[in-house]
Amino acid sequence: GGSQAPLTIRDGSTNAKDVTIVGLTERVVNCAEEVFEWLARGAEKRKTASTDMNARSSRSHMITTFKIRVKTEQVETVSKLHLVDLAGSERAKRTGATGDRLKEGIGINKSLLALGNVVAKLVEISETGGALDHVPYRDSSLTRVLADSLGGSALSVMLACISPATADADESANTLRWAGRAAKVSNAVAVNVVQSASADVTALRRQLAREASLRLAAEDRCRRLDALNRQLSKRVDVLRLAVGDDEKAATAEAAIFYSGDGGESKDLMGDDDVVEDMLMGDDDDEDEEEEE
């Protein structure tokens, strides 16, 4: 209100409904007291003036927007809360407005008409399922700012203020008809969840740690197999030098592994007695032959 210049509204980079208001004041609050403090400051900036119907008539709408972020280790939930106080529609004959007051009343009525057209279109879409139909959000700054609440994934609540005075019966009836039409709008309520960047980093670090562990285990196994291969090669070379006969050398090499009684495979390279028996023959058999 007042002599302040109109704020420029720009569409969001990823979502046209998520608009950006150039020059808008944003503050970070950490408790309920700070919230109420800034609400009071915003109300002080709202323009009011005296008319024949109201000594403190609102000459503009007021929108207070809260952006709420709830972060956990894994995800971040983002919410937007609009508190909207609409100025009431006016009849120039009843308000007695002239000059600036008259212009303000005309502006208020035009924005309320645009809001009513948006609500009517949303009701039509809800009833007919015409999801691709054009909704005239851009006809007014009010509807552009509230686009994500009117026809997005938001949960909307409306309070209609009426007067018990007989003189205000027409205005009260119009307000109730407007509210009844708005109540027919059906939104697909959804929770806006954003994957936390820190959660992505943590997951990547865990994946890298697992891959590093697997790589180290594979490298260790390769070293063990390489060492075993060198050991076996040396033993085979020793056996070939010790045995000049090819047939005995082949038998000695075959003695490195044999199948036990239980079907298991045993490594006999470390068993010197077995290797010696394979190379030199069975002494017990020779003793038996001599005794015979």
Side-chain angles (χ1 to χ4, degrees), residues 188-230:
V189 180
V191 177
N192 299 316
V193 177
V194 179
Q195 188 71 22
S196 175
S198 60
D200 291 339
V201 172
T202 301
L204 289 174
R205 286 177 176 174
R206 290 176 179 174
Q207 182 179 352
L208 290 174
R210 286 194 298 269
E211 292 179 354
S213 177
L214 292 174
R215 185 180 67 254
L216 291 175
E219 292 176 353
D220 182 66
R221 180 174 294 181
C222 289
R223 285 194 296 269
R224 290 172 179 268
L225 290 175
D226 186 59
L228 178 61
N229 183 55
R230 290 195 301 269

Short mmCIF file of all heavy atoms in Angstrom, two decimals, residues 188-230:
data_model
loop_
_atom_site.label_atom_id
_atom_site.label_comp_id
_atom_site.label_asym_id
_atom_site.label_seq_id
_atom_site.Cartn_x
_atom_site.Cartn_y
_atom_site.Cartn_z
N ALA A 188 -5.18 -32.02 -5.78
CA ALA A 188 -4.49 -33.28 -5.48
C ALA A 188 -3.39 -32.98 -4.47
O ALA A 188 -2.27 -32.59 -4.84
CB ALA A 188 -3.91 -33.89 -6.76
N VAL A 189 -3.71 -33.12 -3.20
CA VAL A 189 -2.77 -32.78 -2.13
C VAL A 189 -1.58 -33.74 -2.16
O VAL A 189 -1.75 -34.96 -2.27
CB VAL A 189 -3.47 -32.83 -0.76
CG1 VAL A 189 -2.48 -32.48 0.35
CG2 VAL A 189 -4.66 -31.87 -0.75
N ALA A 190 -0.38 -33.19 -2.08
CA ALA A 190 0.83 -34.01 -2.12
C ALA A 190 1.89 -33.38 -1.23
O ALA A 190 1.88 -32.18 -0.96
CB ALA A 190 1.36 -34.14 -3.55
N VAL A 191 2.80 -34.22 -0.76
CA VAL A 191 3.92 -33.76 0.06
C VAL A 191 5.12 -33.54 -0.85
O VAL A 191 5.49 -34.40 -1.65
CB VAL A 191 4.27 -34.80 1.15
CG1 VAL A 191 5.48 -34.34 1.96
CG2 VAL A 191 3.07 -35.03 2.06
N ASN A 192 5.72 -32.36 -0.74
CA ASN A 192 6.88 -32.02 -1.56
C ASN A 192 8.15 -32.45 -0.84
O ASN A 192 8.57 -31.82 0.13
CB ASN A 192 6.92 -30.51 -1.85
CG ASN A 192 5.70 -30.04 -2.60
OD1 ASN A 192 5.27 -30.67 -3.55
ND2 ASN A 192 5.12 -28.93 -2.18
N VAL A 193 8.73 -33.54 -1.32
CA VAL A 193 9.92 -34.10 -0.69
C VAL A 193 11.10 -33.91 -1.62
O VAL A 193 11.04 -34.25 -2.80
CB VAL A 193 9.73 -35.60 -0.37
CG1 VAL A 193 11.00 -36.18 0.23
CG2 VAL A 193 8.56 -35.79 0.58
N VAL A 194 12.15 -33.36 -1.08
CA VAL A 194 13.38 -33.14 -1.84
C VAL A 194 14.48 -34.00 -1.24
O VAL A 194 14.69 -33.99 -0.02
CB VAL A 194 13.80 -31.65 -1.81
CG1 VAL A 194 15.10 -31.46 -2.60
CG2 VAL A 194 12.69 -30.78 -2.37
N GLN A 195 15.15 -34.76 -2.09
CA GLN A 195 16.25 -35.59 -1.62
C GLN A 195 17.36 -34.71 -1.09
O GLN A 195 17.83 -33.80 -1.77
CB GLN A 195 16.78 -36.49 -2.74
CG GLN A 195 17.79 -37.52 -2.30
CD GLN A 195 17.17 -38.64 -1.47
OE1 GLN A 195 15.98 -38.86 -1.54
NE2 GLN A 195 17.98 -39.31 -0.69
N SER A 196 17.78 -34.96 0.13
CA SER A 196 18.82 -34.14 0.75
C SER A 196 20.16 -34.37 0.06
O SER A 196 20.56 -35.50 -0.22
CB SER A 196 18.93 -34.49 2.24
OG SER A 196 20.00 -33.79 2.83
N ALA A 197 20.85 -33.26 -0.21
CA ALA A 197 22.17 -33.37 -0.83
C ALA A 197 23.15 -34.09 0.08
O ALA A 197 23.99 -34.88 -0.37
CB ALA A 197 22.71 -31.97 -1.16
N SER A 198 23.05 -33.85 1.39
CA SER A 198 23.95 -34.54 2.33
C SER A 198 23.68 -36.03 2.34
O SER A 198 24.59 -36.85 2.49
CB SER A 198 23.75 -33.96 3.74
OG SER A 198 22.41 -34.13 4.17
N ALA A 199 22.40 -36.41 2.14
CA ALA A 199 22.06 -37.84 2.09
C ALA A 199 22.68 -38.48 0.85
O ALA A 199 23.18 -39.61 0.89
CB ALA A 199 20.55 -38.04 2.08
N ASP A 200 22.66 -37.75 -0.28
CA ASP A 200 23.28 -38.27 -1.50
C ASP A 200 24.78 -38.46 -1.30
O ASP A 200 25.36 -39.47 -1.72
CB ASP A 200 23.03 -37.32 -2.67
CG ASP A 200 21.57 -37.30 -3.08
OD1 ASP A 200 20.86 -38.28 -2.77
OD2 ASP A 200 21.14 -36.32 -3.71
N VAL A 201 25.42 -37.47 -0.67
CA VAL A 201 26.86 -37.57 -0.41
C VAL A 201 27.17 -38.74 0.50
O VAL A 201 28.12 -39.51 0.28
CB VAL A 201 27.37 -36.25 0.20
CG1 VAL A 201 28.83 -36.41 0.65
CG2 VAL A 201 27.25 -35.11 -0.78
N THR A 202 26.36 -38.93 1.54
CA THR A 202 26.57 -40.04 2.47
C THR A 202 26.42 -41.38 1.76
O THR A 202 27.23 -42.30 1.96
CB THR A 202 25.56 -39.96 3.63
OG1 THR A 202 25.73 -38.71 4.31
CG2 THR A 202 25.79 -41.10 4.61
N ALA A 203 25.39 -41.50 0.91
CA ALA A 203 25.18 -42.75 0.18
C ALA A 203 26.34 -43.04 -0.76
O ALA A 203 26.81 -44.19 -0.88
CB ALA A 203 23.87 -42.68 -0.59
N LEU A 204 26.85 -41.99 -1.44
CA LEU A 204 27.99 -42.18 -2.35
C LEU A 204 29.24 -42.59 -1.58
O LEU A 204 30.02 -43.43 -2.05
CB LEU A 204 28.23 -40.89 -3.13
CG LEU A 204 27.19 -40.54 -4.20
CD1 LEU A 204 27.49 -39.16 -4.79
CD2 LEU A 204 27.16 -41.59 -5.30
N ARG A 205 29.43 -41.99 -0.42
CA ARG A 205 30.61 -42.36 0.40
C ARG A 205 30.53 -43.80 0.84
O ARG A 205 31.53 -44.53 0.83
CB ARG A 205 30.70 -41.42 1.61
CG ARG A 205 31.18 -40.01 1.26
CD ARG A 205 31.19 -39.12 2.48
NE ARG A 205 31.72 -37.81 2.18
CZ ARG A 205 31.74 -36.79 3.03
NH1 ARG A 205 31.24 -36.94 4.25
NH2 ARG A 205 32.24 -35.62 2.67
N ARG A 206 29.34 -44.25 1.23
CA ARG A 206 29.18 -45.65 1.62
C ARG A 206 29.44 -46.59 0.45
O ARG A 206 30.08 -47.63 0.60
CB ARG A 206 27.78 -45.86 2.18
CG ARG A 206 27.54 -45.19 3.53
CD ARG A 206 26.09 -45.36 3.97
NE ARG A 206 25.87 -44.74 5.26
CZ ARG A 206 24.68 -44.63 5.83
NH1 ARG A 206 23.59 -45.09 5.22
NH2 ARG A 206 24.56 -44.05 7.02
N GLN A 207 28.95 -46.21 -0.73
CA GLN A 207 29.18 -47.03 -1.91
C GLN A 207 30.66 -47.11 -2.25
O GLN A 207 31.18 -48.18 -2.57
CB GLN A 207 28.39 -46.46 -3.09
CG GLN A 207 28.52 -47.29 -4.37
CD GLN A 207 27.71 -46.72 -5.51
OE1 GLN A 207 26.93 -45.79 -5.30
NE2 GLN A 207 27.87 -47.25 -6.70
N LEU A 208 31.35 -45.96 -2.16
CA LEU A 208 32.79 -45.96 -2.43
C LEU A 208 33.54 -46.80 -1.42
O LEU A 208 34.51 -47.50 -1.76
CB LEU A 208 33.31 -44.52 -2.42
CG LEU A 208 32.87 -43.62 -3.59
CD1 LEU A 208 33.34 -42.19 -3.36
CD2 LEU A 208 33.40 -44.16 -4.90
N ALA A 209 33.11 -46.75 -0.16
CA ALA A 209 33.77 -47.55 0.88
C ALA A 209 33.59 -49.04 0.61
O ALA A 209 34.53 -49.83 0.77
CB ALA A 209 33.21 -47.18 2.25
N ARG A 210 32.35 -49.43 0.19
CA ARG A 210 32.12 -50.84 -0.12
C ARG A 210 32.97 -51.29 -1.30
O ARG A 210 33.56 -52.38 -1.28
CB ARG A 210 30.63 -51.06 -0.43
CG ARG A 210 29.74 -51.04 0.80
CD ARG A 210 28.37 -51.60 0.47
NE ARG A 210 27.69 -50.81 -0.55
CZ ARG A 210 26.87 -49.81 -0.30
NH1 ARG A 210 26.63 -49.46 0.97
NH2 ARG A 210 26.28 -49.15 -1.27
N GLU A 211 33.04 -50.45 -2.34
CA GLU A 211 33.83 -50.81 -3.51
C GLU A 211 35.32 -50.88 -3.17
O GLU A 211 36.03 -51.76 -3.67
CB GLU A 211 33.59 -49.79 -4.62
CG GLU A 211 32.17 -49.84 -5.19
CD GLU A 211 31.94 -48.80 -6.27
OE1 GLU A 211 32.85 -47.96 -6.47
OE2 GLU A 211 30.86 -48.82 -6.89
N ALA A 212 35.78 -49.98 -2.32
CA ALA A 212 37.18 -50.02 -1.90
C ALA A 212 37.48 -51.29 -1.11
O ALA A 212 38.53 -51.92 -1.28
CB ALA A 212 37.51 -48.78 -1.06
N SER A 213 36.54 -51.69 -0.24
CA SER A 213 36.72 -52.91 0.53
C SER A 213 36.78 -54.13 -0.37
O SER A 213 37.62 -55.03 -0.19
CB SER A 213 35.59 -53.04 1.55
OG SER A 213 35.70 -54.25 2.27
N LEU A 214 35.89 -54.18 -1.36
CA LEU A 214 35.89 -55.31 -2.30
C LEU A 214 37.17 -55.33 -3.12
O LEU A 214 37.74 -56.40 -3.39
CB LEU A 214 34.68 -55.20 -3.23
CG LEU A 214 33.30 -55.42 -2.58
CD1 LEU A 214 32.20 -55.15 -3.59
CD2 LEU A 214 33.19 -56.84 -2.04
N ARG A 215 37.66 -54.15 -3.50
CA ARG A 215 38.89 -54.09 -4.28
C ARG A 215 40.08 -54.58 -3.46
O ARG A 215 40.92 -55.34 -3.95
CB ARG A 215 39.14 -52.65 -4.74
CG ARG A 215 40.35 -52.53 -5.68
CD ARG A 215 40.59 -51.10 -6.14
NE ARG A 215 41.01 -50.25 -5.04
CZ ARG A 215 40.24 -49.34 -4.46
NH1 ARG A 215 39.01 -49.16 -4.89
NH2 ARG A 215 40.69 -48.60 -3.47
N LEU A 216 40.15 -54.17 -2.19
CA LEU A 216 41.25 -54.62 -1.34
C LEU A 216 41.20 -56.12 -1.13
O LEU A 216 42.24 -56.80 -1.13
CB LEU A 216 41.18 -53.89 0.01
CG LEU A 216 41.48 -52.39 -0.02
CD1 LEU A 216 41.26 -51.78 1.36
CD2 LEU A 216 42.92 -52.14 -0.48
N ALA A 217 39.97 -56.67 -0.95
CA ALA A 217 39.84 -58.12 -0.77
C ALA A 217 40.28 -58.86 -2.02
O ALA A 217 40.94 -59.90 -1.96
CB ALA A 217 38.39 -58.46 -0.42
N ALA A 218 39.92 -58.33 -3.21
CA ALA A 218 40.32 -58.96 -4.46
C ALA A 218 41.83 -58.90 -4.65
O ALA A 218 42.46 -59.88 -5.09
CB ALA A 218 39.60 -58.29 -5.63
N GLU A 219 42.43 -57.75 -4.32
CA GLU A 219 43.88 -57.62 -4.44
C GLU A 219 44.60 -58.58 -3.49
O GLU A 219 45.61 -59.19 -3.86
CB GLU A 219 44.29 -56.18 -4.15
CG GLU A 219 43.83 -55.18 -5.21
CD GLU A 219 44.17 -53.75 -4.83
OE1 GLU A 219 44.64 -53.55 -3.68
OE2 GLU A 219 43.98 -52.85 -5.67
N ASP A 220 44.07 -58.73 -2.27
CA ASP A 220 44.68 -59.66 -1.32
C ASP A 220 44.58 -61.10 -1.82
O ASP A 220 45.54 -61.87 -1.70
CB ASP A 220 43.98 -59.51 0.04
CG ASP A 220 44.59 -60.41 1.09
OD1 ASP A 220 45.77 -60.19 1.45
OD2 ASP A 220 43.89 -61.35 1.55
N ARG A 221 43.44 -61.44 -2.41
CA ARG A 221 43.30 -62.81 -2.93
C ARG A 221 44.24 -63.04 -4.10
O ARG A 221 44.82 -64.12 -4.22
CB ARG A 221 41.84 -63.02 -3.38
CG ARG A 221 41.58 -64.41 -3.96
CD ARG A 221 40.11 -64.61 -4.26
NE ARG A 221 39.34 -64.59 -3.01
CZ ARG A 221 38.02 -64.77 -2.98
NH1 ARG A 221 37.34 -64.93 -4.11
NH2 ARG A 221 37.39 -64.75 -1.83
N CYS A 222 44.41 -62.04 -4.94
CA CYS A 222 45.35 -62.17 -6.06
C CYS A 222 46.77 -62.37 -5.57
O CYS A 222 47.54 -63.18 -6.11
CB CYS A 222 45.26 -60.94 -6.97
SG CYS A 222 43.73 -60.84 -7.93
N ARG A 223 47.14 -61.62 -4.51
CA ARG A 223 48.49 -61.79 -3.95
C ARG A 223 48.68 -63.20 -3.39
O ARG A 223 49.74 -63.81 -3.57
CB ARG A 223 48.73 -60.74 -2.87
CG ARG A 223 48.97 -59.34 -3.40
CD ARG A 223 49.53 -58.44 -2.31
NE ARG A 223 48.56 -58.25 -1.24
CZ ARG A 223 47.68 -57.27 -1.19
NH1 ARG A 223 47.64 -56.37 -2.18
NH2 ARG A 223 46.84 -57.16 -0.18
N ARG A 224 47.65 -63.70 -2.71
CA ARG A 224 47.75 -65.05 -2.15
C ARG A 224 47.89 -66.10 -3.25
O ARG A 224 48.70 -67.03 -3.16
CB ARG A 224 46.51 -65.35 -1.30
CG ARG A 224 46.44 -64.55 0.00
CD ARG A 224 45.10 -64.77 0.68
NE ARG A 224 44.99 -64.05 1.93
CZ ARG A 224 45.31 -64.54 3.12
NH1 ARG A 224 45.76 -65.77 3.21
NH2 ARG A 224 45.19 -63.80 4.20
N LEU A 225 47.06 -65.95 -4.31
CA LEU A 225 47.14 -66.91 -5.41
C LEU A 225 48.47 -66.82 -6.12
O LEU A 225 49.04 -67.85 -6.53
CB LEU A 225 45.99 -66.63 -6.39
CG LEU A 225 44.58 -66.96 -5.89
CD1 LEU A 225 43.55 -66.52 -6.91
CD2 LEU A 225 44.45 -68.46 -5.60
N ASP A 226 49.00 -65.61 -6.28
CA ASP A 226 50.29 -65.45 -6.93
C ASP A 226 51.40 -66.09 -6.10
O ASP A 226 52.29 -66.77 -6.64
CB ASP A 226 50.57 -63.96 -7.14
CG ASP A 226 51.83 -63.72 -7.94
OD1 ASP A 226 51.90 -64.21 -9.08
OD2 ASP A 226 52.74 -63.05 -7.41
N ALA A 227 51.34 -65.88 -4.78
CA ALA A 227 52.35 -66.50 -3.90
C ALA A 227 52.26 -68.02 -3.94
O ALA A 227 53.27 -68.73 -3.98
CB ALA A 227 52.16 -65.99 -2.47
N LEU A 228 51.04 -68.56 -3.95
CA LEU A 228 50.85 -70.00 -4.01
C LEU A 228 51.35 -70.56 -5.33
O LEU A 228 51.98 -71.63 -5.39
CB LEU A 228 49.36 -70.33 -3.83
CG LEU A 228 48.98 -71.82 -3.91
CD1 LEU A 228 49.71 -72.61 -2.83
CD2 LEU A 228 47.47 -71.98 -3.79
N ASN A 229 51.12 -69.82 -6.41
CA ASN A 229 51.58 -70.27 -7.72
C ASN A 229 53.11 -70.33 -7.77
O ASN A 229 53.69 -71.28 -8.31
CB ASN A 229 51.04 -69.33 -8.78
CG ASN A 229 51.41 -69.77 -10.19
OD1 ASN A 229 51.15 -70.90 -10.59
ND2 ASN A 229 52.06 -68.88 -10.93
N ARG A 230 53.74 -69.30 -7.22
CA ARG A 230 55.22 -69.31 -7.20
C ARG A 230 55.74 -70.47 -6.35
O ARG A 230 56.72 -71.13 -6.71
CB ARG A 230 55.74 -67.98 -6.66
CG ARG A 230 55.52 -66.80 -7.61
CD ARG A 230 56.37 -65.61 -7.19
NE ARG A 230 56.06 -65.17 -5.85
CZ ARG A 230 55.15 -64.26 -5.56
NH1 ARG A 230 54.45 -63.69 -6.55
NH2 ARG A 230 54.91 -63.89 -4.32
#
